Amino acid sequence: MIITSARVVIALTLSSVLFSISAVTAAPQSIVVLNAQGLPAQNMVVYLLPSNPANIVTAVAPQKAEVHQKDKQFSPYITVVQKGNDVAFVNEDDITHHIFSALGPKRFSFKLRHQQEQQILRFEQTGHVSMGCNVHDWMSGHLLVVDTPFYAVTNAEGRVTFEHLPADEFKLVVWHPQLKMPDNQQAEPVHLPSENTITITLLAEFDNIPSQQSLDEFEFLEGY
């Protein structure tokens, strides 16, 4: 009888451990974004706003955000960062860029010479930051500041994957600066995590992305 009881206790303990492990290592949550024609929508920002404010806190370290200037373009074209975190601006060209933003939650203007490794700015307010270069007027880039650690940009398959999602009711937001909807976004409520892939079909088309190159090359002004 004692041996049987011991076996029961061990079995119950093992079951509890396995349950805890399965809860922690739940399958990643996939979300797929399709355009209005039903094709995968690449380079879309997807972020999740939990209903419970306590779920905004996560043990996962925030993603390092960098905006590069390379071949006289912003790379990537769209960058996402969580509110309160830093963004590093890195000039990979052998010329000076004069990066600025005149609209949005943070206005800035600074020169970034090619000898200078980087300029770091902290973004304390949510919103869309549109960026340009005073030297190369065709350059355009976008930064989205969100109040959640759950954000990603869709790949060529229109897919993003989130790890370690708490169980909650979320506002799922899909954003792109050229999406022709109010605030350039489409949103809907979802309960996550789900055993199934969540598929979002966009209800609007896109404006054209501006060409990221000059029509006329020119010599860079010395001493700028």
Side-chain angles (χ1 to χ4, degrees):
M1 180 66 68
I2 296 176
I3 294 176
T4 302
S5 300
R7 287 176 178 172
V8 171
V9 170
I10 291 172
L12 290 174
T13 303
L14 182 59
S15 298
S16 299
V17 171
L18 292 175
F19 176 80
S20 299
I21 292 174
S22 65
V24 172
T25 59
Q29 177 67 58
S30 289
I31 297 172
V32 172
V33 181
L34 305 177
N35 63 20
Q37 289 72 43
L39 300 175
Q42 188 176 7
N43 294 328
M44 303 294 301
V45 176
V46 177
Y47 65 96
L48 303 170
L49 296 169
S51 298
N52 184 354
N55 285 331
I56 293 178
V57 179
T58 176
V60 179
Q63 303 175 38
K64 183 179 180 181
E66 292 185 349
V67 177
H68 291 244
Q69 293 77 56
K70 184 176 181 180
D71 299 329
K72 301 174 186 175
Q73 299 180 38
F74 285 102
S75 179
Y77 177 63
I78 300 173
T79 302
V80 194
V81 63
Q82 186 178 359
K83 182 180 75 171
N85 288 317
D86 296 336
V87 175
F89 293 82
V90 184
N91 184 4
E92 295 188 41
D93 290 332
D94 60 357
I95 55 176
T96 297
H97 289 292
H98 189 158
I99 310 303
F100 74 92
S101 179
L103 299 172
K106 188 178 184 73
R107 300 182 182 184
F108 53 84
S109 176
F110 58 86
K111 296 178 184 178
L112 198 58
R113 294 180 167 83
H114 70 276
Q115 303 95 337
Q116 185 178 355
E117 288 189 4
Q118 62 183 15
Q119 174 82 25
I120 296 179
L121 298 179
R122 177 161 294 183
F123 291 82
E124 301 285 1
Q125 299 180 38
T126 60
H128 171 206
V129 178
S130 180
M131 300 175 292
C133 176
N134 276 324
V135 182
H136 312 99
D137 58 5
W138 67 86
M139 287 177 59
S140 63
H142 300 270
L143 178 68
L144 187 67
V145 187
V146 297
D147 190 16
T148 174
F150 309 113
Y151 59 85
V153 178
T154 58
N155 61 17
E157 298 175 344
R159 183 182 301 271
V160 295
T161 302
F162 293 98
E163 306 272 358
H164 312 298
L165 280 180
D168 202 349
E169 299 293 331
F170 290 88
K171 178 182 178 181
L172 189 161
V173 182
V174 180
W175 181 92
H176 190 281
Q178 272 74 47
L179 182 61
K180 294 195 287 187
M181 296 188 74
D183 297 324
N184 309 112
Q185 68 179 35
Q186 181 173 318
E188 61 181 71
V190 291
H191 179 81
L192 298 174
S194 170
E195 295 181 357
N196 302 317
T197 296
I198 304 297
T199 301
I200 305 297
T201 300
L202 298 175
L203 303 177
E205 301 290 344
F206 294 84
D207 287 322
N208 292 327
I209 296 178
S211 175
Q212 298 299 297
Q213 61 183 7
S214 173
L215 296 178
D216 301 304
E217 280 295 336
F218 60 89
E219 293 296 327
F220 182 71
L221 298 176
E222 292 290 339
Y224 180 76

